[in-house]
Amino acid sequence: MSLKIVVLAKQVPDTRNVGKDAMTAEGTVNRAALPAIFNPEDLNALEQALRLKEQNPGSTVGILTMGPPRAGEIIRQGLYRGTDTGWLLTDRLFAGADTLATSYALATAIRKIGDVDIVLGGRQAIDGDTAQVGPQVAQKLGLNQVTYAEEVLNVENGVATIRRHIDGGVETVEAPLPVVITVNGSAAPCRPCNAKLVMKYKYATCPMERTGNEPWATLYEQRPYLTLNQWSVADVDGDPQQCGLAGSPTKVKAVQNIVFQAKESKTLSASDADVESLVKELLDEKIIG
């Protein structure tokens, strides 16, 4: 059966080596000061989508992302690997969104896309590690959901069979379409970019990415596929009060990169004195109690 698949992908700041400029005065991540990368687990989700496209002739895969104009790079990275289209949600009203506002924006965009059979996304993004957006999108759309997926085994007769990783092992579940699936980083890695597709789409941009002085500007009229979909809050019929900072009850106070050093470790015996000392320390530090 042919499927309409949407992959939720995010361009994230590389928070693995944050510095003093990592936060803005408003308490949000300073994305302009950090290098931007394709969220790792979203790449795992993209690979599952592309495999489903290959297994089900006539299927299409599109990438849905939200961010500033430079996030159009995420759509290009998908096109280089075999996706068919993409949509960039970009609007100042989307800025500063937490998981609640992000899932609202993505859900409204999916409604606008319409008739989607499968929504795939990474389990979580490395700039938040909440694992909430996928399930919240499913809830807002009233769709079935399967989390911690490692492989979408097949889709037949309107039912997806999925292997998911759980504590202590794996399990295989079935879910009727339409369904939202979040994928673990332990799933198959995404395929590399295809050289022919890179050459075809290397000038593909959203309108807001363009300066108007590009030497290849005439190509945009000759090749419509080089103009990527760009949607604002109004384009998806969104409520501004539920988008961006206005719709975000979560406020980030700080971002830290914590690396445990050997000097921070302790070796304890099984003696009562050592156990009592450990419990007292945990209570004093308000880790327990």
Side-chain angles (χ1 to χ4, degrees):
M1 61 178 295
S2 61
L3 302 169
K4 190 173 184 179
I5 305 168
V6 171
V7 177
L8 305 180
K10 186 178 183 183
Q11 187 183 59
V12 294
D14 192 347
T15 57
R16 292 171 292 188
N17 294 289
V18 299
K20 61 182 178 62
D21 297 326
M23 301 298 296
T24 66
E26 291 76 25
T28 59
V29 176
N30 185 1
R31 298 177 185 275
L34 298 171
I37 60 173
F38 200 122
N39 184 56
E41 290 189 340
D42 293 341
L43 281 170
N44 298 105
L46 175 57
E47 176 61 23
Q48 293 301 308
L50 293 173
R51 291 186 180 191
L52 285 173
K53 178 184 174 181
E54 293 168 346
Q55 295 165 7
N56 298 271
S59 297
T60 60
V61 176
I63 285 190
L64 174 61
T65 188
M66 184 175 78
R70 69 175 186 178
E73 177 62 20
I74 295 300
I75 299 176
R76 285 188 289 277
Q77 288 295 320
L79 293 170
Y80 297 161
R81 291 170 166 85
T83 63
D84 302 284
T85 188
W87 306 269
L88 172 64
L89 298 178
T90 186
D91 190 319
R92 288 187 180 277
L93 294 174
F94 287 131
D98 66 359
T99 59
L100 188 67
T102 297
S103 63
Y104 171 78
L106 295 175
T108 57
I110 292 169
R111 286 194 189 97
K112 181 177 176 67
I113 293 168
D115 300 320
V116 175
D117 297 301
I118 299 177
V119 178
L120 280 155
R123 174 178 59 104
Q124 62 187 28
I126 62 171
D127 60 345
D129 289 345
T130 63
Q132 294 177 3
V133 171
Q136 286 184 14
V137 168
Q139 190 276 333
K140 287 178 170 63
L141 293 173
L143 302 182
N144 303 302
Q145 62 174 294
V146 176
T147 56
Y148 301 100
E150 285 197 327
E151 184 178 5
V152 183
L153 299 173
N154 63 65
V155 177
E156 189 174 3
N157 299 323
V159 176
T161 304
I162 302 154
R163 187 178 72 242
R164 62 193 299 264
H165 181 81
I166 58 174
D167 288 342
V170 296
E171 69 175 1
T172 300
V173 299
E174 293 183 343
L177 306 184
V179 62
V180 176
I181 304 169
T182 59
V183 180
N184 282 356
S186 56
C190 195
R191 64 196 63 189
C193 298
N194 180 288
K196 289 184 178 180
L197 292 175
V198 171
M199 294 304 294
K200 179 179 180 180
Y201 290 110
K202 65 180 180 179
Y203 295 134
T205 54
C206 299
M208 286 182 65
E209 291 185 273
R210 300 172 187 169
T211 63
N213 299 320
E214 293 87 354
W216 53 85
T218 56
L219 290 178
Y220 296 125
E221 293 183 5
Q222 300 168 7
R223 305 173 187 177
Y225 61 83
L226 293 180
T227 299
L228 305 180
N229 297 299
Q230 174 187 299
W231 289 345
S232 66
V233 171
D235 290 330
V236 296
D237 298 322
D239 177 2
Q241 293 304 309
Q242 296 188 61
C243 298
L245 283 174
S248 302
T250 305
K251 305 301 178 187
V252 178
K253 297 302 181 183
V255 174
Q256 294 180 328
N257 188 35
I258 300 174
V259 178
F260 290 102
Q261 304 293 333
K263 65 182 180 181
E264 296 174 331
S265 64
K266 288 185 179 181
T267 302
L268 301 175
S269 69
S271 68
D272 290 344
D274 276 2
V275 173
E276 290 176 3
S277 173
L278 175 61
V279 172
K280 183 178 185 303
E281 181 179 347
L282 294 175
L283 288 170
D284 291 343
E285 295 294 329
K286 295 182 170 49
I287 297 173
I288 64 173

